[in-house]
Amino acid sequence: MEDQEITAGFDLINFSIRSIIDVLSILILVGAIYYPKHKNKDFVFNFVLFNVVNFIICSLLGAAKINVGFAFGLFAMFSIIRYRTIAISIKDMGYFFVSVALGMINALSSINDHNWVLVVCNVVILLLTYGLENLNFLTNENSKDVVYDNVELIKPNLREQLLADLTERIGVNVHKVDIISIDYLKDVALLKVYHYSKQSETVTKTYGDHD
């Protein structure tokens, strides 16, 4: 009886249409929006794989009439096991979320006779992602950890000279600096310097001879 219910609840034509919508959406997401800017083939592989596998699993769960809460539990499981061995940026995590969410939306939405609504939802998500990816008029405050060898300039009354020296050495307009630690034995200080740029970056650099 259960096998008959699952078979009866599975519409091959509807599944095929949803599959086409999902595959086209994920290919546009990673091929036309993500990869041209980030050039990370490994993440492209993972985004596509997570999307397609999640779509198939959720489609089968929907056909078996399993509680949708279980599908969200599956999403939570994917979030827990995500890339624990490497550092992943917030933006890459956003793409990961969108790729998994697209698979869930395309598999579990209850609009069988109105697939155009599903297409519109996918288009809206893709356009929003593209727009947010290309907000070039916004600036980002980046920070760098710098091992600094001129400890004489870390005095509060010499802050402007410190900022000017860091700007000259690093090559960016440093507008703020935090002193993390000072090693008076080696005459070096660990600083966190801040500057504005169009791109988000996390780099640790060392300036000066402090061997």
Side-chain angles (χ1 to χ4, degrees), residues 35-115:
Y35 188 76
K37 276 210 166 185
H38 301 276
K39 305 294 184 183
N40 193 322
K41 187 173 68 174
D42 292 335
F43 280 144
V44 169
F45 171 82
N46 282 281
F47 294 154
V48 173
L49 198 62
F50 269 105
N51 171 268
V52 174
V53 171
N54 188 54
F55 172 80
I56 293 175
I57 293 176
C58 288
S59 295
L60 296 178
L61 292 178
K65 297 181 180 179
I66 296 178
N67 195 315
V68 177
F70 185 81
F72 281 99
L74 178 67
F75 180 85
M77 181 187 71
F78 283 153
S79 298
I80 292 174
I81 65 175
R82 58 173 169 76
Y83 311 111
R84 284 298 183 185
T85 58
I86 61 172
I88 179 171
S89 69
I90 296 176
K91 182 174 287 188
D92 287 332
M93 274 308 305
Y95 276 101
F96 172 79
F97 174 81
V98 172
S99 65
V100 174
L102 282 174
M104 294 180 62
I105 292 171
N106 293 324
L108 297 176
S109 59
S110 57
I111 46 177
N112 296 332
D113 299 326
H114 301 283
N115 287 318

Side-chain angles (χ1 to χ4, degrees), residues 2 15 19 45 58 63 89 92 109 114 128 136 138 140 166 170:
E2 291 183 358
F15 174 77
S19 298
F45 171 82
C58 288
S89 69
D92 287 332
S109 59
H114 301 283
L128 180 62
N136 295 323
L138 295 179
N140 188 75
L166 287 169
I170 301 175

Side-chain angles (χ1 to χ4, degrees), residues 109-177:
S109 59
S110 57
I111 46 177
N112 296 332
D113 299 326
H114 301 283
N115 287 318
W116 64 268
V117 177
L118 193 59
V119 172
V120 170
C121 291
N122 281 259
V123 170
V124 169
I125 293 174
L126 293 175
L127 288 177
L128 180 62
T129 305
Y130 178 80
L132 292 173
E133 180 65 77
N134 293 276
L135 290 177
N136 295 323
F137 60 90
L138 295 179
T139 57
N140 188 75
E141 185 181 54
N142 293 308
S143 64
K144 304 174 188 283
D145 289 342
V146 175
V147 177
Y148 188 64
D149 62 341
N150 192 358
V151 294
E152 292 297 324
L153 294 182
I154 65 174
K155 299 176 182 178
N157 61 323
L158 299 177
R159 185 55 54 92
E160 292 300 325
Q161 296 182 39
L162 174 62
L163 293 176
D165 187 45
L166 287 169
T167 297
E168 181 180 355
R169 293 194 185 199
I170 301 175
V172 296
N173 188 20
V174 178
H175 68 276
K176 184 174 69 173
V177 58

